[in-house]
């Protein structure tokens, strides 16, 4: 799986585990992602995939490097797609 595929899978997992926000974005904590069995089976290096997604402006979170335990409560926000943002603003 290449980086783009991993980032796309990460989007799917954040949507599955996260809570949708009024603006069409999704929020999930790092601990929820890290401790999920399905995510553990998909991502060999979750932290690396998160960093790649952040670099591509797909997700946002505080800090650069997230560590299990220490950063379990850090919120990761999946930015809304243009379609989701348009739908949210139309409501």
């Amino acid at each position: 799986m290449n980086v783009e595929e991993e980032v796309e899978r990460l989007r799917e997992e954040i949507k599955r585990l996260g809570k949708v926000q009024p603006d069409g974005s999704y929020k999930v904590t790092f601990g929820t992602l890290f401790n999920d069995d399905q995510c553990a089976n998909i991502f060999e290096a979750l932290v690396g995939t998160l960093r790649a997604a952040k670099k591509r402006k797909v997700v946002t979170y505080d800090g650069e490097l997230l560590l299990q335990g220490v950063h379990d409560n850090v919120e990761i926000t999946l930015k809304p797609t243009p379609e989701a943002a348009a739908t949210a603003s139309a409501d």
Side-chain angles (χ1 to χ4, degrees):
M1 192 171 358
N2 68 34
V3 176
E4 297 304 325
E5 290 171 333
E6 283 203 15
V7 169
E8 188 54 40
R9 291 292 298 273
L10 179 64
R11 292 175 75 100
E12 294 169 13
E13 293 305 307
I14 292 173
K15 285 182 179 181
R16 180 176 67 85
L17 296 168
K19 293 190 181 351
V20 68
Q21 304 300 303
D23 66 356
S25 66
Y26 286 80
K27 288 192 178 188
V28 66
T29 63
F30 175 66
T32 299
L33 277 177
F34 194 90
N35 293 313
D36 181 74
D37 288 339
Q38 192 169 326
C39 284
N41 290 331
I42 295 170
F43 304 108
E44 284 186 35
L46 177 61
V47 173
T49 303
L50 282 166
R51 289 185 72 185
K54 186 175 183 179
K55 187 175 179 181
R56 288 164 175 74
K57 302 188 185 321
V58 172
V59 300
T60 60
Y61 56 86
D62 291 337
E64 280 298 312
L65 182 65
L66 299 176
L67 302 172
Q68 180 191 16
V70 179
H71 298 114
D72 282 355
N73 294 323
V74 172
E75 276 194 339
I76 298 166
T77 303
L78 173 64
K79 294 182 177 182
T81 59
E83 311 86 64
T87 303
S89 64
D91 291 341

